[in-house]
Amino acid sequence: MNESVSNNCDVTFRNDEEEETNAHLYNDSMETVGVVHKIGAESDITNGLIESSEYYVNNLLDKENKDYVFLVRGTEESFSKEGDSGALVFSRPMEEEQNHINLIGMVYGNIDNVLSDEEDEDCINDVSSCFRIAPAIKLLEEKLELPVKFKDNL
């Protein structure tokens, strides 16, 4: 990151209570994540549940990446709004000692009227589309042929 830009950014990882914390890349099953959180530029702190751990995007450039996209529905309000793109999606670990957050993905937009898997005629409204951060970093490393790391290698 350019130093002039990084001097103006708060690059500290924070949990859903805005407390400083460490972060780990999460690359395990999406089925056991539980509640997810994000701190967005527009909607601030929101909570959600994973509506679908895989989302198949029409006209996807690389068909092998279909399981890298997931959908989140907000628990009390919309999980994200326009202006929240790029916000990290994270969860707290399912452990007694919570000295880190699990980085799961990044918000990249909202999707209206997604067909539900359970009932083909019903639509899921107001869900956020996100992509998995660990596979995205791996793909970026392969493309750049360089290691990609977060500050302090957290």
Side-chain angles (χ1 to χ4, degrees):
M1 182 185 300
N2 183 312
E3 190 173 326
S4 65
V5 172
S6 67
N7 289 337
N8 295 320
C9 294
D10 179 2
V11 295
T12 305
F13 286 107
R14 298 185 187 280
N15 63 22
D16 54 304
E17 295 176 355
E18 295 189 350
E19 300 167 332
E20 291 185 17
T21 188
N22 291 323
H24 296 184
L25 286 179
Y26 185 82
N27 205 19
D28 293 332
S29 171
M30 298 289 281
E31 307 301 323
T32 59
V33 168
V35 177
V36 295
H37 316 276
K38 71 110 190 78
I39 304 173
E42 184 63 32
S43 61
D44 202 32
I45 300 171
T46 57
N47 306 311
L49 296 171
I50 296 174
E51 185 73 36
S52 174
S53 59
E54 289 184 357
Y55 179 66
Y56 300 89
V57 180
N58 288 336
N59 302 321
L60 190 65
L61 296 177
D62 185 349
K63 301 291 184 199
E64 299 300 313
N65 296 342
K66 64 182 178 246
D67 58 339
Y68 298 163
V69 179
F70 63 99
L71 302 178
V72 178
R73 177 195 298 278
T75 54
E76 296 177 19
E77 57 187 317
S78 295
F79 186 69
S80 67
K81 296 180 180 177
E82 188 173 335
D84 286 336
S85 295
L88 293 173
V89 178
F90 62 93
S91 69
R92 289 181 177 243
M94 301 284 190
E95 303 163 3
E96 186 173 334
E97 186 176 336
Q98 296 192 353
N99 58 0
H100 70 277
I101 58 171
N102 290 319
L103 289 178
I104 298 170
M106 185 176 285
V107 173
Y108 75 87
N110 289 338
I111 300 176
D112 293 325
N113 300 324
V114 176
L115 287 178
S116 170
D117 287 340
E118 295 173 10
E119 300 177 25
D120 290 336
E121 296 178 13
D122 287 347
C123 288
I124 302 169
N125 293 310
D126 199 25
V127 292
S128 299
S129 53
C130 308
F131 62 87
R132 300 273 318 251
I133 197 83
I137 288 174
K138 183 179 178 192
L139 290 170
L140 184 61
E141 287 178 329
E142 290 171 2
K143 178 118 177 131
L144 297 176
E145 298 180 355
L146 293 169
V148 177
K149 298 180 181 179
F150 286 103
K151 182 179 178 186
D152 300 326
N153 291 326
L154 295 176

